[in-house]
Amino acid sequence: MPGTFEPLPGGGASVALDDVEISIIRSLAVQLLELIGPGPAEDTPADPLAELFAEGPSEPPSDPVLKRLFPDAYRDPETPGNPQEAAEQRAHSAEFRRYTENDLRAGKRENALAVIHSLNALTPGEGGLAELELTPAESQRWLGALNDLRLAIGSRLEITDEDDADDFYRLPDEDPRKPMVMAYLWLGGLQETLVSTLMP
């Protein structure tokens, strides 16, 4: 899957994608949406003031992928033996989460939806490839979604840093993790080339 983003004159980025690549990214974005969960119900009255002060969850998610996507703002101290400091950090994390997680979820949801909508608008061109062209704002949305997808896949693969990913290059083809690893590495390449198009 050699598709890489190229800068567009005047800003933005483009990449040629085939049907398989489009299907993979769309499927992953839909799964990410399902994992993040729905937004406010459609019948909820639109009250910007109420939304501003709406409280989110105070406890971290139980799903390891969601924990990676919505980490604690304050981590427990790494040195044991200080339960008071640990309790204070948990309280600060809960407070921070209560007032930020709803907005974080909405942003991640919007990024994933932007990816799906832009893929749905594509039409195959010559050689079965579709040319995806993104504005600078759309590029930022794609960048956020690609990052979230890699975090989600990396969490499922138990990758804690990029050095862990090196071991996956040597996985045999029959390893059941191989397709997920290939998606992780390919999305990393897309993410890296998209970042390069946004550099001044």
Side-chain angles (χ1 to χ4, degrees), residues 115-194:
V115 167
I116 293 167
H117 292 322
S118 58
L119 292 176
N120 288 344
L122 289 178
T123 53
E126 189 176 335
L129 294 175
E131 190 73 22
L132 173 68
E133 294 190 354
L134 303 174
T135 65
E138 289 169 336
S139 295
Q140 292 290 348
R141 291 246 181 244
W142 264 76
L143 196 56
L146 288 173
N147 186 61
D148 289 340
L149 290 172
R150 291 192 78 235
L151 283 174
I153 295 170
S155 179
R156 292 289 187 236
L157 291 170
E158 299 180 351
I159 295 173
T160 55
D161 60 51
E162 287 303 316
D163 290 340
D164 294 340
D166 293 342
D167 297 336
F168 287 111
Y169 280 105
R170 296 181 287 278
L171 280 181
D173 290 342
E174 60 272 15
D175 191 300
R177 297 171 296 171
K178 186 76 174 206
M180 206 183 316
V181 168
M182 296 305 294
Y184 178 83
L185 297 173
W186 173 58
L187 292 173
L190 281 177
Q191 184 181 18
E192 186 177 337
T193 59
L194 182 54

Side-chain angles (χ1 to χ4, degrees), residues 45-55:
D47 182 352
L49 190 59
E51 286 182 21
L52 182 64
F53 292 103
E55 293 186 6

Side-chain angles (χ1 to χ4, degrees), residues 12 17 37-38 40 43 45 55-56 61-63 72 80 90 95 113 120 138 173 188 191 198:
L17 299 170
D43 56 355
E55 293 186 6
S62 58
D63 186 290
D72 276 335
R90 280 194 297 273
E95 190 74 3
L113 281 170
N120 288 344
E138 289 169 336
D173 290 342
Q191 184 181 18
L198 298 171

